[in-house]
Amino acid sequence: MQGRVLLLAGATAAGGVGAVLAFTDVNSPLRGPFMLFFLLATPTAAIGAALHGLEPASRLVVALAGAFAVNLLVAQAMLAAHRWSPWGGVAAVAALSLLIFLLVLVQRLRSRTARRRAS
């Protein structure tokens, strides 16, 4: 259990470093890998949180496929609107992932409230 927490903390830190490097425009060789990790891990975590009923392996595969879809849709929408920028792409993916997290949180709070009222 403690190893899992450390792994999640490390992944969160790496994603945060990727976002900071993207928004500050630091010219570093680590910028690309950390940004890529952020762009894949953030929507994967958000979609994985929404799929709490699946087995862990299935949840990971579906969440990764969803993360690729989110990234591709953001890139396609930005290119179609002639508004492509790396900062905008990172911000859009972060905003969509946050929206998914918030929707999952609201759904869980509603179901918890409904269960309390029923009992």
Side-chain angles (χ1 to χ4, degrees):
M1 183 68 168
Q2 187 178 9
R4 184 177 177 189
V5 171
L6 289 174
L7 181 65
L8 290 173
T12 303
V17 168
V20 168
L21 288 175
F23 288 122
T24 58
D25 200 23
V26 174
N27 209 0
S28 168
L30 296 176
R31 180 179 170 195
F34 278 118
M35 273 181 55
L36 180 62
F37 182 79
F38 175 81
L39 289 172
L40 286 177
T42 305
T44 300
I47 295 169
L51 300 173
H52 63 276
L54 293 177
E55 294 180 15
S58 301
R59 184 189 313 178
L60 178 63
V61 170
V62 172
L64 274 171
F68 279 111
V70 166
N71 284 308
L72 289 173
L73 289 173
V74 165
Q76 185 175 0
M78 290 179 76
L79 287 171
H82 301 288
R83 298 287 183 210
W84 171 251
S85 73
W87 306 284
V90 170
V93 169
L96 286 173
S97 298
L98 180 63
L99 178 67
I100 294 169
F101 270 129
L102 290 175
L103 290 173
V104 169
L105 180 65
V106 167
Q107 179 187 16
R108 288 186 183 172
L109 288 174
R110 281 185 181 171
S111 66
R112 186 179 302 167
T113 304
R115 278 184 275 149
R116 284 184 187 167
R117 288 182 183 168
S119 57

